[in-house]
Amino acid sequence: MTLSPTGPTADCRECEAPDSARIPTVEDRLWTAASWPLIAASLTLVALIAFESFAVTTVLPVVARELGGEQWYSFAFAGTLTAGLVATALAGGWADRAGTNRPLLTGASLFAAGLGMCVLAGDMAWFIGGRLLQGFGGGLVSVVIYALIGRHIAEGLRPRFFGLLSAAWLLPAMLGPVVAGAVTELWSWRVLFAAVLVGTAAASALLWLATARHGRAGTPGAAGGRRRTLAWAIAASLAASVLHVGGQQQGLWRLTVPVAAVVVVVAASRLLPRGTLRAAAGTPRLIALRGLVGVSATGCEVYLTLYLQEARGLSPTLAGWSVAVSALTWAAGSWWQGRRVGSRADDAAFIAAGVGLVLAGPAVVLAVVATNAPVGLAVIGWAIAGLGLGTCYPRISSATLQLAGAGAHGRLGAALQLGEGLSSALGLALLGSVLAVASTLTGGLVAVFAVLTLLAATAAVVAVRTLRSTPSAAPDTGA
């Protein structure tokens, strides 16, 4: 199957949706009178979520110091990923089975509640509780957006849409870290969470209004094994939490770390499509690749910010500027890949090129941390990685949805999110444990970035395999 630049054809079953839910497309036009409300609302919500994500990355060292929870730095960031595991497992089948309205409303409400808890947090436990709610609500909303794209956007136009979603991170990624640093220094980090609360409430309402009449209908028989999937997701979430807690403790608690890691891996084998853990051809390989790239990029961003502020003495604002540079290159990569919509071979080529560039991020930062080289080199390395992320992320997403069978868009969209969430939760927990047992911050960060470099190199190998052997064209139901 090839990506058609002129929209769905009669043989494109994965592009079909219930008649009552179909938003018409006009050949090669993405923006139409019927589709623009969905597109505008999705981009607005993603942009606001992006701002919150970059803001948290910048201010989290300050939050941890102020609330007396430096040892919970990794978990405060990864808490959203941990809770998101359950949400994404629940949301995929829910959206396919019952439509997108209810998961969208539930997710937006919980995300807003989590932001409110962070605004009012008096200690680190309360703050982490808010982050957990944000993760659960954000996980629901993210999968809903994937389901809406799969239902309402023609196959040949999806790379452009995913390119727009990536570009929607540009302004928040550029301004988010800088604004977050400045607001924290001038007023308080709580102001940031309050502002995001207001903005996301408005954006969620806009998306609801744009899709409410299209989101009632689901696909009969689209979901199966809901309780078993949810049970494994809960097990993975709890195990990831134990990983974070156990890694920060002494004595017998440390024995829980390998056990919890095994539980996460076993849960992943049950939650993700068969063959994902060995990167089998087709959607399993794409989902595995998304997970490897995700944990490499997330870990590099989280610990680069910590390194710049705690080891090199940069202010939150300067550290924010350093990280924000990658936003421009991310947008450039997204724009570059969006200019060509062609065959599956094109997808594989963009994916391989992008992942190769992502490897530069942790590899260059590792060299800087180990040798105390100029900080500017780390910024350049992270900027190159941003170019790679903007290039490969939209293509991984569109290639996966291209292989989705009828009624499977939500499940495969959830699988992408779950794969990345599981990888990032497990990776950040283990990296947090490495940092906790290190005798010095610099020594711990050298170990952290060495592991991240290895993970990115593994992703590059998988990407080359994707280039050499394109996925099967048979529709996938996410089983």
Side-chain angles (χ1 to χ4, degrees):
M1 181 188 299
T2 60
L3 282 170
S4 170
T6 58
T9 66
D11 295 328
C12 185
R13 291 191 302 152
E14 64 270 33
C15 296
E16 296 175 2
D19 292 340
S20 62
R22 188 65 174 164
I23 294 180
T25 56
V26 180
E27 295 198 341
D28 61 345
R29 292 181 57 199
L30 177 60
W31 292 85
T32 69
S35 65
W36 79 261
L38 165 65
I39 298 172
S42 298
L43 294 178
T44 301
L45 185 57
V46 167
L48 286 164
I49 292 176
F51 177 84
E52 185 269 347
S53 175
F54 284 103
V56 167
T57 301
T58 302
V59 305
L60 197 52
V62 178
V63 174
R65 285 198 303 269
E66 183 175 318
L67 298 181
E70 290 92 341
Q71 71 272 30
W72 300 109
Y73 176 83
S74 295
F75 191 35
F77 188 91
T80 54
L81 301 174
T82 302
L85 297 177
V86 180
T88 50
L90 174 66
W94 191 4
D96 286 337
R97 182 184 69 257
T100 55
N101 284 356
R102 282 181 286 176
L104 173 61
L105 181 61
T106 303
S109 300
L110 291 175
F111 187 78
L115 287 167
M117 286 184 66
C118 289
V119 172
L120 301 173
D123 54 39
M124 203 62 176
W126 189 262
F127 182 84
I128 290 176
R131 297 287 291 159
L132 292 174
L133 275 184
Q134 283 179 254
F136 193 89
L140 291 176
V141 172
S142 296
V143 174
V144 166
I145 290 177
Y146 271 79
L148 288 170
I149 293 172
R151 280 170 166 244
H152 305 313
I153 302 299
E155 178 183 311
L157 300 178
R158 290 177 195 155
R160 299 184 192 177
F161 198 142
F162 282 115
L164 288 175
L165 287 178
S166 292
W169 286 69
L170 173 60
L171 191 59
M174 289 178 59
L175 297 181
V178 179
V179 171
V183 169
T184 299
E185 291 180 32
L186 291 174
W187 296 295
S188 169
W189 51 267
R190 299 177 192 272
V191 174
L192 293 169
F193 285 96
V196 174
L197 171 59
V198 174
T200 51
S204 299
L206 178 61
L207 184 59
W208 168 266
L209 292 174
T211 62
R213 70 186 182 90
H214 300 288
R216 297 190 185 95
T219 301
R226 285 185 294 138
R227 293 180 180 176
R228 183 175 56 187
T229 297
L230 189 58
W232 278 113
I234 292 173
S237 181
L238 292 175
S241 299
V242 170
L243 271 172
H244 283 282
V245 175
Q248 305 299 324
Q249 307 299 319
Q250 302 293 328
L252 293 179
W253 265 103
R254 288 283 169 83
L255 299 178
T256 64
V257 172
V259 176
V262 170
V263 173
V264 172
V265 173
V266 173
S269 70
R270 300 296 192 274
L271 289 168
L272 301 175
R274 186 178 296 109
T276 299
L277 296 187
R278 54 186 175 85
T283 54
R285 182 171 297 167
L286 293 168
I287 293 166
L289 184 58
R290 170 75 172 261
L292 286 168
V293 172
V295 67
S296 302
T298 300
C300 190
E301 182 180 26
V302 169
Y303 289 104
L304 176 58
T305 304
L306 181 67
Y307 171 70
L308 293 176
Q309 293 188 41
E310 300 298 324
R312 301 300 286 263
L314 271 66
S315 69
T317 302
L318 286 177
W321 273 114
S322 301
V323 174
V325 171
S326 65
L328 282 173
T329 55
W330 182 307
S334 179
W335 173 83
W336 174 42
Q337 67 80 32
R339 287 177 59 83
R340 182 179 178 88
V341 180
S343 65
R344 285 180 289 131
D346 291 322
D347 283 342
F350 277 112
I351 290 170
V355 175
L357 293 172
V358 171
L359 175 58
V364 173
V365 176
L366 170 62
V368 171
V369 176
T371 64
N372 201 36
V375 168
L377 293 177
V379 176
I380 292 173
W382 183 233
I384 295 173
L387 179 65
L389 291 168
T391 301
C392 70
Y393 254 55
R395 290 289 171 157
I396 293 173
S397 300
S398 62
T400 303
L401 288 185
Q402 182 189 162
L403 297 176
H409 297 109
R411 285 200 299 283
L412 285 181
L416 282 171
Q417 301 285 338
L418 272 172
E420 183 171 358
L422 284 164
S423 299
S424 296
L426 177 60
L428 288 177
L430 294 178
L431 292 173
S433 298
V434 169
L435 200 59
V437 300
S439 57
T440 65
L441 177 62
T442 299
L445 288 172
V446 167
V448 163
F449 284 107
V451 173
L452 290 172
T453 301
L454 178 61
L455 290 171
T458 304
V461 172
V462 175
V464 171
R465 290 178 61 192
T466 303
L467 180 61
R468 292 178 176 176
S469 177
T470 55
S472 169
D476 197 323
T477 61

